[in-house]
Amino acid sequence: MAIFSKGRYSTLQTGVKRKMVIPDGSWIKCKKCNQTLYVERLVDNLQVCWCCGYHMSMPVKSRIELLTDSGSFTEENTGLTSVDRLNFVDSKSYVDRLEENRKKSGMEEAVSCGHATLNGIPFSLGVMDFNFMGASMGSVVGEKITRMIENATDRQETVVLVTASGGARMQEGILSLMQMAKTSGALARHREHHLGYIVIITNPTYGGVSASFATLGDVILSEPGAMVGFAGPRVVQETTKSVLPEGFQTAEFLLAHGLIDRVVERKNLRKELGFLLDIFKKKI
């Protein structure tokens, strides 16, 4: 069928279906149940799949907004960046890998530390970002966390740390492993002042992080389904030549065996943290 429109000749085709154009990045597939999820709705649902309850990775900025009073977070010790002391090269140089991850994550390093309030109660907060080299623990990560703890001790405040990590940063060798002792020492001094330390474990938390500050909390919370351990289940099974129990290294398994105090859904974390901060405030 043909028509004339404003002096121009146009042709209309009837019975032809118009293809819907969906912008890139509008949908994402759940890693657990494989359901396709609308990204905007997923953001509103705090990055939790509404089909199976799987807790996906949450951006640091969103995590801070979830756990603090609006506009109260002030990042501290910014400008600290990793140095390639070992001139490390694998498939690419450590320097190139750092720059690549800074651009990808928008972070200077794998942790953001600072000061904030929740329900008007001041506390120190650190949030690890798995998008930055798997939130591996390098010298700067250890230094920022240590300084945050020391500042909290001086201010007589509770420390809250949201963990996520693949473990020590191999590109820094023993310099990375030294951060386990340094952060643990700072926490020991913090505890001498009878100040609170709350850990929120997210998926995954492994290696030197799980073997140090991630499991030293006065209260250890975890999101549902988070994987926690020193080495992954496959490595443990191959090393021990044994069949691992069902749910091994999940937050629920560790709750049943006494390592974790509570498994808390993300939608309830803010309320839970506010309750704990109020308890530690009264204790101080």
Side-chain angles (χ1 to χ4, degrees):
M1 179 178 68
I3 64 169
F4 286 96
S5 176
K6 295 184 179 180
R8 294 177 297 173
Y9 184 82
S10 302
T11 301
L12 297 180
Q13 291 180 309
T14 58
V16 177
K17 292 183 178 180
R18 301 177 65 182
K19 184 178 180 181
M20 181 181 294
V21 178
I22 301 175
D24 291 339
S26 296
W27 301 86
I28 191 172
K29 184 172 286 188
C30 176
K31 294 180 180 179
K32 184 176 181 181
C33 68
N34 290 322
Q35 286 291 325
T36 301
L37 309 172
Y38 187 45
V39 170
E40 285 192 11
R41 183 182 172 191
L42 189 61
V43 171
D44 292 339
N45 206 45
L46 302 177
Q47 301 291 340
V48 177
C49 175
W50 51 85
C51 298
C52 68
Y54 177 68
H55 284 52
M56 302 181 185
S57 177
M58 194 175 196
V60 169
K61 183 179 179 181
S62 299
R63 179 76 68 177
I64 292 171
E65 290 175 351
L66 174 66
L67 299 177
T68 64
D69 293 330
S70 179
S72 68
F73 180 77
T74 302
E75 188 172 5
E76 299 174 331
N77 296 306
T78 58
L80 297 179
T81 55
S82 296
V83 177
D84 185 14
R85 295 293 186 189
L86 305 180
N87 296 319
F88 193 96
V89 179
D90 44 59
S91 59
K92 61 180 68 175
S93 71
Y94 184 31
V95 173
D96 290 342
R97 198 174 291 280
L98 285 168
E99 185 59 30
E100 179 184 281
N101 278 269
R102 289 186 189 111
K103 291 179 180 178
K104 180 181 71 174
S105 66
M107 298 273 291
E108 291 181 334
E109 253 295 342
V111 68
S112 178
C113 298
H115 180 265
T117 64
L118 178 59
N119 300 333
I121 302 173
F123 69 103
S124 293
L125 173 65
V127 181
M128 302 186 76
D129 184 7
F130 198 79
N131 287 320
F132 193 107
M133 295 188 69
S136 52
M137 180 179 60
S139 300
V140 170
V141 169
E143 181 66 19
K144 292 184 75 169
I145 290 174
T146 299
R147 291 189 187 187
M148 176 189 68
I149 297 167
E150 291 174 343
N151 288 338
T153 304
D154 292 340
R155 291 190 292 241
Q156 297 287 288
E157 292 176 350
T158 297
V159 172
V160 178
L161 189 54
V162 183
T163 67
S165 181
R169 187 170 297 178
M170 67 175 188
Q171 290 87 351
E172 295 189 22
I174 195 171
L175 298 174
S176 173
L177 298 178
M178 289 168 63
Q179 308 312 309
M180 297 172 64
K182 184 166 71 175
T183 53
S184 298
L187 284 170
R189 291 188 292 273
H190 186 72
R191 183 167 293 172
E192 289 174 358
H193 291 261
H194 306 289
L195 303 169
Y197 174 43
I198 302 168
V199 179
I200 301 174
I201 293 177
T202 69
N203 184 50
T205 297
Y206 275 111
V209 170
S210 71
S212 56
F213 56 81
T215 51
L216 292 175
D218 296 306
V219 178
I220 302 177
L221 308 177
S222 178
E223 293 187 333
M227 298 297 293
V228 189
F230 185 70
R234 180 180 59 81
V235 174
V236 173
Q237 184 164 318
E238 291 178 355
T239 303
T240 61
K241 307 299 181 185
S242 60
V243 178
L244 301 179
E246 184 178 355
F248 180 71
Q249 290 191 340
T250 62
E252 291 75 13
F253 181 90
L254 295 173
L255 172 66
H257 289 78
L259 179 66
I260 289 174
D261 296 302
R262 292 195 67 177
V263 176
V264 184
E265 292 185 37
R266 191 171 289 168
K267 64 181 180 181
N268 297 325
L269 269 178
R270 182 184 178 91
K271 181 179 179 180
E272 186 81 10
L273 180 59
F275 172 72
L276 291 171
L277 286 173
D278 188 52
I279 290 177
F280 281 115
K281 177 186 175 182
K282 292 176 181 178
K283 184 178 178 181
I284 295 170

PDB file of all heavy atoms in Angstrom, residues 228-254:
ATOM      1  N   VAL A 228      32.996 -19.050  51.987  1.00  0.00           N
ATOM      2  CA  VAL A 228      34.033 -18.582  52.899  1.00  0.00           C
ATOM      3  C   VAL A 228      35.009 -19.721  53.175  1.00  0.00           C
ATOM      4  O   VAL A 228      34.601 -20.843  53.482  1.00  0.00           O
ATOM      5  CB  VAL A 228      33.437 -18.109  54.246  1.00  0.00           C
ATOM      6  CG1 VAL A 228      34.497 -17.414  55.085  1.00  0.00           C
ATOM      7  CG2 VAL A 228      32.237 -17.208  54.024  1.00  0.00           C
ATOM      8  N   GLY A 229      36.301 -19.445  53.061  1.00  0.00           N
ATOM      9  CA  GLY A 229      37.282 -20.479  53.368  1.00  0.00           C
ATOM     10  C   GLY A 229      38.684 -20.001  53.050  1.00  0.00           C
ATOM     11  O   GLY A 229      38.888 -18.905  52.537  1.00  0.00           O
ATOM     12  N   PHE A 230      39.673 -20.854  53.362  1.00  0.00           N
ATOM     13  CA  PHE A 230      41.047 -20.503  53.037  1.00  0.00           C
ATOM     14  C   PHE A 230      41.373 -20.906  51.597  1.00  0.00           C
ATOM     15  O   PHE A 230      41.865 -20.125  50.802  1.00  0.00           O
ATOM     16  CB  PHE A 230      42.029 -21.166  54.006  1.00  0.00           C
ATOM     17  CG  PHE A 230      43.439 -20.729  53.783  1.00  0.00           C
ATOM     18  CD1 PHE A 230      43.844 -19.435  54.096  1.00  0.00           C
ATOM     19  CD2 PHE A 230      44.371 -21.588  53.241  1.00  0.00           C
ATOM     20  CE1 PHE A 230      45.146 -19.011  53.864  1.00  0.00           C
ATOM     21  CE2 PHE A 230      45.683 -21.185  53.004  1.00  0.00           C
ATOM     22  CZ  PHE A 230      46.060 -19.890  53.324  1.00  0.00           C
ATOM     23  N   ALA A 231      41.071 -22.136  51.257  1.00  0.00           N
ATOM     24  CA  ALA A 231      41.214 -22.617  49.878  1.00  0.00           C
ATOM     25  C   ALA A 231      39.849 -23.070  49.384  1.00  0.00           C
ATOM     26  O   ALA A 231      38.974 -23.411  50.182  1.00  0.00           O
ATOM     27  CB  ALA A 231      42.214 -23.770  49.814  1.00  0.00           C
ATOM     28  N   GLY A 232      39.648 -23.068  48.075  1.00  0.00           N
ATOM     29  CA  GLY A 232      38.365 -23.456  47.508  1.00  0.00           C
ATOM     30  C   GLY A 232      38.044 -24.927  47.731  1.00  0.00           C
ATOM     31  O   GLY A 232      38.945 -25.741  47.987  1.00  0.00           O
ATOM     32  N   PRO A 233      36.754 -25.297  47.639  1.00  0.00           N
ATOM     33  CA  PRO A 233      36.334 -26.686  47.879  1.00  0.00           C
ATOM     34  C   PRO A 233      37.072 -27.704  47.006  1.00  0.00           C
ATOM     35  O   PRO A 233      37.432 -28.787  47.487  1.00  0.00           O
ATOM     36  CB  PRO A 233      34.840 -26.652  47.553  1.00  0.00           C
ATOM     37  CG  PRO A 233      34.431 -25.241  47.756  1.00  0.00           C
ATOM     38  CD  PRO A 233      35.619 -24.422  47.347  1.00  0.00           C
ATOM     39  N   ARG A 234      37.295 -27.380  45.753  1.00  0.00           N
ATOM     40  CA  ARG A 234      37.967 -28.328  44.855  1.00  0.00           C
ATOM     41  C   ARG A 234      39.390 -28.608  45.330  1.00  0.00           C
ATOM     42  O   ARG A 234      39.835 -29.751  45.350  1.00  0.00           O
ATOM     43  CB  ARG A 234      37.984 -27.769  43.426  1.00  0.00           C
ATOM     44  CG  ARG A 234      38.675 -28.694  42.423  1.00  0.00           C
ATOM     45  CD  ARG A 234      38.671 -28.090  41.034  1.00  0.00           C
ATOM     46  NE  ARG A 234      39.337 -26.790  41.004  1.00  0.00           N
ATOM     47  CZ  ARG A 234      40.659 -26.637  40.940  1.00  0.00           C
ATOM     48  NH1 ARG A 234      41.459 -27.694  40.925  1.00  0.00           N
ATOM     49  NH2 ARG A 234      41.192 -25.424  40.907  1.00  0.00           N
ATOM     50  N   VAL A 235      40.108 -27.536  45.726  1.00  0.00           N
ATOM     51  CA  VAL A 235      41.481 -27.707  46.215  1.00  0.00           C
ATOM     52  C   VAL A 235      41.496 -28.529  47.492  1.00  0.00           C
ATOM     53  O   VAL A 235      42.333 -29.423  47.676  1.00  0.00           O
ATOM     54  CB  VAL A 235      42.146 -26.335  46.450  1.00  0.00           C
ATOM     55  CG1 VAL A 235      43.519 -26.494  47.087  1.00  0.00           C
ATOM     56  CG2 VAL A 235      42.241 -25.568  45.143  1.00  0.00           C
ATOM     57  N   VAL A 236      40.560 -28.247  48.405  1.00  0.00           N
ATOM     58  CA  VAL A 236      40.484 -28.976  49.670  1.00  0.00           C
ATOM     59  C   VAL A 236      40.208 -30.454  49.415  1.00  0.00           C
ATOM     60  O   VAL A 236      40.841 -31.346  50.007  1.00  0.00           O
ATOM     61  CB  VAL A 236      39.397 -28.375  50.582  1.00  0.00           C
ATOM     62  CG1 VAL A 236      39.205 -29.245  51.830  1.00  0.00           C
ATOM     63  CG2 VAL A 236      39.754 -26.955  50.978  1.00  0.00           C
ATOM     64  N   GLN A 237      39.272 -30.733  48.513  1.00  0.00           N
ATOM     65  CA  GLN A 237      38.910 -32.119  48.225  1.00  0.00           C
ATOM     66  C   GLN A 237      40.064 -32.884  47.587  1.00  0.00           C
ATOM     67  O   GLN A 237      40.339 -34.033  47.949  1.00  0.00           O
ATOM     68  CB  GLN A 237      37.689 -32.154  47.307  1.00  0.00           C
ATOM     69  CG  GLN A 237      37.174 -33.557  47.016  1.00  0.00           C
ATOM     70  CD  GLN A 237      35.775 -33.551  46.450  1.00  0.00           C
ATOM     71  OE1 GLN A 237      34.914 -32.807  46.911  1.00  0.00           O
ATOM     72  NE2 GLN A 237      35.538 -34.374  45.453  1.00  0.00           N
ATOM     73  N   GLU A 238      40.767 -32.231  46.657  1.00  0.00           N
ATOM     74  CA  GLU A 238      41.884 -32.896  46.001  1.00  0.00           C
ATOM     75  C   GLU A 238      43.056 -33.112  46.956  1.00  0.00           C
ATOM     76  O   GLU A 238      43.765 -34.116  46.872  1.00  0.00           O
ATOM     77  CB  GLU A 238      42.342 -32.074  44.796  1.00  0.00           C
ATOM     78  CG  GLU A 238      41.339 -32.061  43.644  1.00  0.00           C
ATOM     79  CD  GLU A 238      41.801 -31.194  42.494  1.00  0.00           C
ATOM     80  OE1 GLU A 238      42.853 -30.520  42.636  1.00  0.00           O
ATOM     81  OE2 GLU A 238      41.112 -31.175  41.449  1.00  0.00           O
ATOM     82  N   THR A 239      43.257 -32.175  47.885  1.00  0.00           N
ATOM     83  CA  THR A 239      44.366 -32.275  48.829  1.00  0.00           C
ATOM     84  C   THR A 239      44.110 -33.335  49.893  1.00  0.00           C
ATOM     85  O   THR A 239      45.005 -34.120  50.251  1.00  0.00           O
ATOM     86  CB  THR A 239      44.629 -30.915  49.503  1.00  0.00           C
ATOM     87  OG1 THR A 239      44.890 -29.934  48.504  1.00  0.00           O
ATOM     88  CG2 THR A 239      45.812 -30.996  50.454  1.00  0.00           C
ATOM     89  N   THR A 240      42.886 -33.371  50.414  1.00  0.00           N
ATOM     90  CA  THR A 240      42.556 -34.288  51.500  1.00  0.00           C
ATOM     91  C   THR A 240      42.082 -35.651  51.009  1.00  0.00           C
ATOM     92  O   THR A 240      41.971 -36.591  51.807  1.00  0.00           O
ATOM     93  CB  THR A 240      41.461 -33.688  52.393  1.00  0.00           C
ATOM     94  OG1 THR A 240      40.271 -33.464  51.608  1.00  0.00           O
ATOM     95  CG2 THR A 240      41.922 -32.365  52.998  1.00  0.00           C
ATOM     96  N   LYS A 241      41.803 -35.754  49.701  1.00  0.00           N
ATOM     97  CA  LYS A 241      41.308 -37.008  49.115  1.00  0.00           C
ATOM     98  C   LYS A 241      40.060 -37.513  49.839  1.00  0.00           C
ATOM     99  O   LYS A 241      39.909 -38.697  50.135  1.00  0.00           O
ATOM    100  CB  LYS A 241      42.389 -38.097  49.175  1.00  0.00           C
ATOM    101  CG  LYS A 241      43.735 -37.710  48.589  1.00  0.00           C
ATOM    102  CD  LYS A 241      43.645 -37.356  47.116  1.00  0.00           C
ATOM    103  CE  LYS A 241      45.027 -36.993  46.561  1.00  0.00           C
ATOM    104  NZ  LYS A 241      44.970 -36.536  45.150  1.00  0.00           N
ATOM    105  N   SER A 242      39.174 -36.578  50.141  1.00  0.00           N
ATOM    106  CA  SER A 242      37.955 -36.933  50.866  1.00  0.00           C
ATOM    107  C   SER A 242      36.739 -36.299  50.211  1.00  0.00           C
ATOM    108  O   SER A 242      36.858 -35.359  49.430  1.00  0.00           O
ATOM    109  CB  SER A 242      38.051 -36.478  52.324  1.00  0.00           C
ATOM    110  OG  SER A 242      38.214 -35.068  52.390  1.00  0.00           O
ATOM    111  N   VAL A 243      35.578 -36.830  50.535  1.00  0.00           N
ATOM    112  CA  VAL A 243      34.327 -36.280  50.032  1.00  0.00           C
ATOM    113  C   VAL A 243      33.845 -35.208  51.001  1.00  0.00           C
ATOM    114  O   VAL A 243      33.676 -35.479  52.201  1.00  0.00           O
ATOM    115  CB  VAL A 243      33.251 -37.379  49.892  1.00  0.00           C
ATOM    116  CG1 VAL A 243      31.947 -36.780  49.406  1.00  0.00           C
ATOM    117  CG2 VAL A 243      33.725 -38.466  48.931  1.00  0.00           C
ATOM    118  N   LEU A 244      33.656 -34.011  50.499  1.00  0.00           N
ATOM    119  CA  LEU A 244      33.264 -32.900  51.369  1.00  0.00           C
ATOM    120  C   LEU A 244      31.776 -32.970  51.694  1.00  0.00           C
ATOM    121  O   LEU A 244      30.969 -33.407  50.868  1.00  0.00           O
ATOM    122  CB  LEU A 244      33.582 -31.573  50.674  1.00  0.00           C
ATOM    123  CG  LEU A 244      35.052 -31.348  50.301  1.00  0.00           C
ATOM    124  CD1 LEU A 244      35.215 -30.013  49.598  1.00  0.00           C
ATOM    125  CD2 LEU A 244      35.951 -31.424  51.527  1.00  0.00           C
ATOM    126  N   PRO A 245      31.398 -32.533  52.885  1.00  0.00           N
ATOM    127  CA  PRO A 245      29.978 -32.544  53.251  1.00  0.00           C
ATOM    128  C   PRO A 245      29.172 -31.557  52.423  1.00  0.00           C
ATOM    129  O   PRO A 245      29.719 -30.587  51.871  1.00  0.00           O
ATOM    130  CB  PRO A 245      29.996 -32.138  54.726  1.00  0.00           C
ATOM    131  CG  PRO A 245      31.283 -31.407  54.909  1.00  0.00           C
ATOM    132  CD  PRO A 245      32.251 -32.041  53.967  1.00  0.00           C
ATOM    133  N   GLU A 246      27.890 -31.783  52.319  1.00  0.00           N
ATOM    134  CA  GLU A 246      27.011 -30.908  51.540  1.00  0.00           C
ATOM    135  C   GLU A 246      27.015 -29.494  52.118  1.00  0.00           C
ATOM    136  O   GLU A 246      26.953 -29.304  53.328  1.00  0.00           O
ATOM    137  CB  GLU A 246      25.583 -31.460  51.536  1.00  0.00           C
ATOM    138  CG  GLU A 246      24.626 -30.675  50.672  1.00  0.00           C
ATOM    139  CD  GLU A 246      23.232 -31.272  50.637  1.00  0.00           C
ATOM    140  OE1 GLU A 246      23.038 -32.354  51.212  1.00  0.00           O
ATOM    141  OE2 GLU A 246      22.341 -30.640  50.033  1.00  0.00           O
ATOM    142  N   GLY A 247      27.122 -28.516  51.221  1.00  0.00           N
ATOM    143  CA  GLY A 247      27.115 -27.122  51.662  1.00  0.00           C
ATOM    144  C   GLY A 247      28.420 -26.651  52.239  1.00  0.00           C
ATOM    145  O   GLY A 247      28.490 -25.558  52.819  1.00  0.00           O
ATOM    146  N   PHE A 248      29.474 -27.427  52.066  1.00  0.00           N
ATOM    147  CA  PHE A 248      30.788 -27.092  52.626  1.00  0.00           C
ATOM    148  C   PHE A 248      31.223 -25.690  52.214  1.00  0.00           C
ATOM    149  O   PHE A 248      31.130 -25.306  51.057  1.00  0.00           O
ATOM    150  CB  PHE A 248      31.815 -28.126  52.137  1.00  0.00           C
ATOM    151  CG  PHE A 248      33.210 -27.913  52.640  1.00  0.00           C
ATOM    152  CD1 PHE A 248      33.530 -28.152  53.965  1.00  0.00           C
ATOM    153  CD2 PHE A 248      34.212 -27.481  51.789  1.00  0.00           C
ATOM    154  CE1 PHE A 248      34.822 -27.971  54.438  1.00  0.00           C
ATOM    155  CE2 PHE A 248      35.518 -27.294  52.249  1.00  0.00           C
ATOM    156  CZ  PHE A 248      35.808 -27.542  53.576  1.00  0.00           C
ATOM    157  N   GLN A 249      31.677 -24.917  53.181  1.00  0.00           N
ATOM    158  CA  GLN A 249      32.177 -23.545  53.023  1.00  0.00           C
ATOM    159  C   GLN A 249      31.098 -22.505  52.732  1.00  0.00           C
ATOM    160  O   GLN A 249      31.417 -21.340  52.536  1.00  0.00           O
ATOM    161  CB  GLN A 249      33.272 -23.463  51.953  1.00  0.00           C
ATOM    162  CG  GLN A 249      34.577 -24.137  52.371  1.00  0.00           C
ATOM    163  CD  GLN A 249      35.729 -23.830  51.451  1.00  0.00           C
ATOM    164  OE1 GLN A 249      35.547 -23.423  50.300  1.00  0.00           O
ATOM    165  NE2 GLN A 249      36.942 -24.019  51.921  1.00  0.00           N
ATOM    166  N   THR A 250      29.844 -22.872  52.719  1.00  0.00           N
ATOM    167  CA  THR A 250      28.798 -21.860  52.563  1.00  0.00           C
ATOM    168  C   THR A 250      28.553 -21.185  53.914  1.00  0.00           C
ATOM    169  O   THR A 250      28.881 -21.741  54.979  1.00  0.00           O
ATOM    170  CB  THR A 250      27.478 -22.467  52.077  1.00  0.00           C
ATOM    171  OG1 THR A 250      26.997 -23.422  53.055  1.00  0.00           O
ATOM    172  CG2 THR A 250      27.649 -23.162  50.731  1.00  0.00           C
ATOM    173  N   ALA A 251      27.971 -20.002  53.874  1.00  0.00           N
ATOM    174  CA  ALA A 251      27.692 -19.273  55.115  1.00  0.00           C
ATOM    175  C   ALA A 251      26.798 -20.097  56.038  1.00  0.00           C
ATOM    176  O   ALA A 251      26.995 -20.119  57.263  1.00  0.00           O
ATOM    177  CB  ALA A 251      27.023 -17.942  54.778  1.00  0.00           C
ATOM    178  N   GLU A 252      25.840 -20.783  55.452  1.00  0.00           N
ATOM    179  CA  GLU A 252      24.904 -21.576  56.254  1.00  0.00           C
ATOM    180  C   GLU A 252      25.622 -22.734  56.950  1.00  0.00           C
ATOM    181  O   GLU A 252      25.338 -23.061  58.118  1.00  0.00           O
ATOM    182  CB  GLU A 252      23.773 -22.105  55.363  1.00  0.00           C
ATOM    183  CG  GLU A 252      22.815 -21.045  54.852  1.00  0.00           C
ATOM    184  CD  GLU A 252      23.388 -20.172  53.730  1.00  0.00           C
ATOM    185  OE1 GLU A 252      24.452 -20.535  53.174  1.00  0.00           O
ATOM    186  OE2 GLU A 252      22.779 -19.144  53.414  1.00  0.00           O
ATOM    187  N   PHE A 253      26.572 -23.367  56.249  1.00  0.00           N
ATOM    188  CA  PHE A 253      27.363 -24.456  56.828  1.00  0.00           C
ATOM    189  C   PHE A 253      28.208 -23.940  57.982  1.00  0.00           C
ATOM    190  O   PHE A 253      28.295 -24.563  59.048  1.00  0.00           O
ATOM    191  CB  PHE A 253      28.255 -25.062  55.731  1.00  0.00           C
ATOM    192  CG  PHE A 253      29.116 -26.207  56.187  1.00  0.00           C
ATOM    193  CD1 PHE A 253      28.645 -27.519  56.124  1.00  0.00           C
ATOM    194  CD2 PHE A 253      30.404 -25.988  56.652  1.00  0.00           C
ATOM    195  CE1 PHE A 253      29.447 -28.580  56.541  1.00  0.00           C
ATOM    196  CE2 PHE A 253      31.210 -27.042  57.067  1.00  0.00           C
ATOM    197  CZ  PHE A 253      30.727 -28.341  57.011  1.00  0.00           C
ATOM    198  N   LEU A 254      28.841 -22.786  57.786  1.00  0.00           N
ATOM    199  CA  LEU A 254      29.702 -22.215  58.817  1.00  0.00           C
ATOM    200  C   LEU A 254      28.900 -21.666  59.991  1.00  0.00           C
ATOM    201  O   LEU A 254      29.398 -21.621  61.122  1.00  0.00           O
ATOM    202  CB  LEU A 254      30.571 -21.117  58.202  1.00  0.00           C
ATOM    203  CG  LEU A 254      31.564 -21.631  57.143  1.00  0.00           C
ATOM    204  CD1 LEU A 254      32.277 -20.476  56.462  1.00  0.00           C
ATOM    205  CD2 LEU A 254      32.573 -22.578  57.769  1.00  0.00           C
TER     206      LEU A 254
END
